[in-house]
């Protein structure tokens, strides 16, 4: 297995461990976001408006950041044309999202246990 460097995003990735995005990267990320988080806004200012109290703002920012990182990790997988995306996050594994994620490039999403079984079956 290969550990992939994500697409560079200010305040989300490390400058010494990322790759530059191509022209369509943001549009691709927005499409993934719409599948994974259909009721949440993609943009920071929409997700974390300036009129929130401090505690509410922190919660909204934490939720937004987590969603952005989820999109980023799947987008990195797709850009690398990797075979199997391995996760225990149930949001990625929902049957209602599988077809749309496959159409966007994430053709095989497996739990760690299923990925181990798949690796054994493929090697043997």
């Amino acid at each position: 297995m290969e550990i992939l460097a994500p697409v560079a995003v200010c305040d989300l990735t490390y400058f010494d461990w990322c790759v530059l995005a191509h022209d369509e990267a943001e549009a691709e990320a927005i499409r993934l976001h719409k599948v994974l988080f259909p009721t949440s806004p993609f943009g920071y200012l929409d997700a974390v408006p300036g009129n929130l109290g401090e505690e509410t703002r922190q919660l909204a920012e934490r939720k937004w950041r987590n969603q952005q990182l989820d999109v980023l990790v799947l987008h990195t997988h797709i850009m690398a044309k990797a075979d199997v995306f391995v996760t225990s996050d149930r949001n990625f594994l929902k049957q209602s999202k599988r077809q749309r994620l496959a159409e966007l490039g994430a053709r095989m999403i497996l739990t760690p246990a299923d990925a181990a079984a798949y690796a054994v079956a493929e090697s043997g």
Side-chain angles (χ1 to χ4, degrees), residues 41 43-52 56-58 60-62 64:
Y44 179 83
L45 294 176
D46 294 323
V48 188
N51 62 346
L52 298 176
T56 305
R57 185 197 60 75
Q58 286 179 359
E61 187 171 87
R62 187 175 310 128
W64 175 84

Side-chain angles (χ1 to χ4, degrees), residues 82-100:
D83 295 327
V84 180
F85 182 75
V86 181
T87 183
S88 57
D89 187 324
R90 291 186 302 245
N91 191 40
F92 291 99
L93 299 163
K94 288 182 179 176
Q95 210 48 46
S96 62
K97 297 180 181 188
R98 288 202 177 237
Q99 180 61 39
R100 290 178 292 162

Side-chain angles (χ1 to χ4, degrees), residues 4-9 13-20:
L4 304 171
V7 173
V9 178
T13 59
Y14 297 102
F15 289 119
D16 62 343
W17 182 250
C18 61
V19 297
L20 295 178

Side-chain angles (χ1 to χ4, degrees), residues 3-10 12-22 25 68-80:
I3 298 176
L4 304 171
V7 173
V9 178
C10 288
L12 288 179
T13 59
Y14 297 102
F15 289 119
D16 62 343
W17 182 250
C18 61
V19 297
L20 295 178
H22 56 278
Q68 290 293 305
L69 291 171
D70 283 356
V71 168
L72 184 61
V73 71
L74 187 56
H75 189 232
T76 298
H77 166 83
I78 292 168
M79 282 184 45

